[in-house]
Amino acid sequence: MSKDTSKIVEELGLCPDFKHFYIENKDYMIKDNLSKMLCDLLCEKNLRKSQVIRDSELSEVYAYQIFSGVRVPERNKLLCLCMGMKLNLDETQTLLKCAGYSNLYVKLPFDSIIIYGICKGLSVPQTNELLYEYDLETLG
């Protein structure tokens, strides 16, 4: 069961004290760290880490450090992993939040191309080509 984020924000604004708010909403808060969430998604989607790393176009050592929790990736590198895992937009946004990054925002040209790539199932190289075509920074 989930609760819409805007509903939780509304409740927070109306709540007389944080303790009551927290007790009511603790089940809806993100508890896992990034590496745990990534590993859970691997299992849930029956993906092989080695294939995801190849598809993400990241350095093998760097990617394994992300999965093990040794490193927190830059936003663009995390997006590469999300695309390598073929995550949907909601899953990608959740991982971005978990890592402390801003959500993809459709009014930003870079982000809109990333959203398009995710929704259309584009690979990292295909997305990079599109970014390059519009004179935007590539994923790396």
Side-chain angles (χ1 to χ4, degrees):
M1 191 160 104
S2 73
K3 188 187 286 189
D4 186 68
T5 302
S6 60
K7 176 74 173 152
I8 296 171
V9 171
E10 180 184 330
E11 289 178 17
L12 179 60
L14 296 173
C15 192
D17 70 295
F18 185 77
K19 185 177 183 178
H20 180 264
F21 166 81
Y22 186 78
I23 291 168
E24 292 292 316
N25 291 286
K26 66 182 177 185
D27 292 338
Y28 303 109
M29 297 193 183
I30 297 172
K31 297 170 189 79
D32 295 332
N33 63 31
L34 181 62
S35 66
K36 169 112 172 62
M37 288 182 82
L38 286 168
C39 290
D40 288 349
L41 282 167
L42 285 174
C43 289
E44 178 184 316
K45 295 180 172 293
N46 200 26
L47 299 170
R48 288 189 4 251
K49 201 180 293 184
S50 59
Q51 186 62 50
V52 167
I53 292 170
R54 272 192 297 281
D55 292 346
S56 70
E57 302 267 318
L58 295 177
S59 145
E60 216 175 294
V61 172
Y62 183 75
Y64 277 107
Q65 289 174 338
I66 295 167
F67 278 107
S68 69
V70 171
R71 287 188 154 212
V72 175
E74 300 169 11
R75 185 176 188 256
N76 286 3
K77 303 298 184 195
L78 182 55
L79 290 170
C80 287
L81 269 180
C82 292
M83 295 181 98
M85 294 176 82
K86 297 172 182 38
L87 300 182
N88 65 35
L89 186 56
D90 287 338
E91 293 164 332
T92 300
Q93 300 286 43
T94 299
L95 284 179
L96 286 169
K97 287 178 208 171
C98 181
Y101 295 121
S102 61
N103 278 349
L104 293 165
Y105 182 57
V106 74
K107 289 187 176 183
L108 294 173
F110 175 88
D111 286 6
S112 66
I113 289 175
I114 300 301
I115 292 169
Y116 177 83
I118 290 168
C119 292
K120 297 295 183 181
L122 299 182
S123 67
V124 172
Q126 290 170 319
T127 304
N128 276 336
E129 285 178 26
L130 198 52
L131 289 164
Y132 184 79
E133 185 178 325
Y134 286 89
D135 293 324
L136 297 167
E137 171 191 358
T138 59
L139 289 168

